[in-house]
Amino acid sequence: MKRALLSKNKYKFVNGEILEPLCNDVKYEARERCNVTVVSWITRSLNTQIEQSTVYIDNAKDLWKDLEERFSKGSHFRISDLLQEINSIKQGEKSINEYYIDSKTLWEELDSLHPLPACTCKSKCTCNVIKTIAGYRELERIMCFLKGLEESYNIVKTQVIFMDPLPGVNRFFSLVLQQERHLNENSGYKNPHQQCQPIWSKDERKEQWY
């Protein structure tokens, strides 16, 4: 729901950034129309029982706060479950693409429930701490993805670990997908998990390792 509101530039109605104007303000009616629209969007996304419990809340900010207070504790348990799933997910019989999609789905749900902090400095921040934190989270995801790969990808696992700096998640996925294609071509699609060969030449590998 947050993404939908952000995409329509209406999230400020629920986070308190847009204050309610006075009744005689020229912006009052326009703001009220937008408020009713946002309330309608939110209530339509709720199941019937929850919707009935919010029928008398006509302010978007109050409605959002009410739902957040009621259901935020449940999200803590979901965050715990997601962290466990992310750290234990395995490729198994899935293709690299299927394995990546399953992993990415978990990552995105975690991001929605436990987003990275945003800088609130009045002046432009120069320490790049948020970028550093995001880098740590991406590194953790690459490590979890690597750990869950089948043994046939052991060589590519080692090669990626020795890359400095490590590639981003998307670039990393592209490299592993490339290796899967190489495996399938060599095996004639009979055994996609046979021991893989390096995806870089000797000179390229030397450059990556040193």
Side-chain angles (χ1 to χ4, degrees), residues 32 44 72 92-93 98 141-142 157 188 191 204:
E32 278 299 288
R44 280 206 302 258
S72 62
E93 297 298 319
E98 292 170 333
R141 290 172 177 178
I142 290 176
K157 288 182 188 180
N191 181 14
E204 289 173 324

Side-chain angles (χ1 to χ4, degrees), residues 32-86:
E32 278 299 288
R33 286 195 298 272
C34 288
N35 175 70
V36 171
T37 299
V38 172
V39 169
S40 176
W41 287 341
I42 296 174
T43 53
R44 280 206 302 258
S45 71
L46 305 174
N47 65 41
T48 303
Q49 186 176 14
I50 297 175
E51 181 183 357
Q52 289 176 347
S53 70
T54 63
V55 68
Y56 295 109
I57 304 177
D58 56 8
N59 182 280
K61 179 184 175 183
D62 294 340
L63 175 58
W64 191 265
K65 184 177 180 181
D66 177 80
L67 294 171
E68 187 175 41
E69 289 177 347
R70 278 198 276 168
F71 299 106
S72 62
K73 289 186 178 180
S75 69
H76 295 162
F77 292 102
R78 181 54 185 156
I79 289 172
S80 176
D81 290 341
L82 284 169
L83 290 171
Q84 184 174 359
E85 289 182 61
I86 289 171

Side-chain angles (χ1 to χ4, degrees), residues 163-185:
M163 292 176 70
D164 186 20
L166 283 175
V169 169
N170 290 335
R171 173 59 178 157
F172 163 69
F173 166 70
S174 177
L175 292 173
V176 180
L177 189 62
Q178 180 182 343
Q179 182 61 64
E180 181 186 50
R181 293 193 187 110
H182 179 74
L183 275 173
N184 289 338
E185 289 172 1

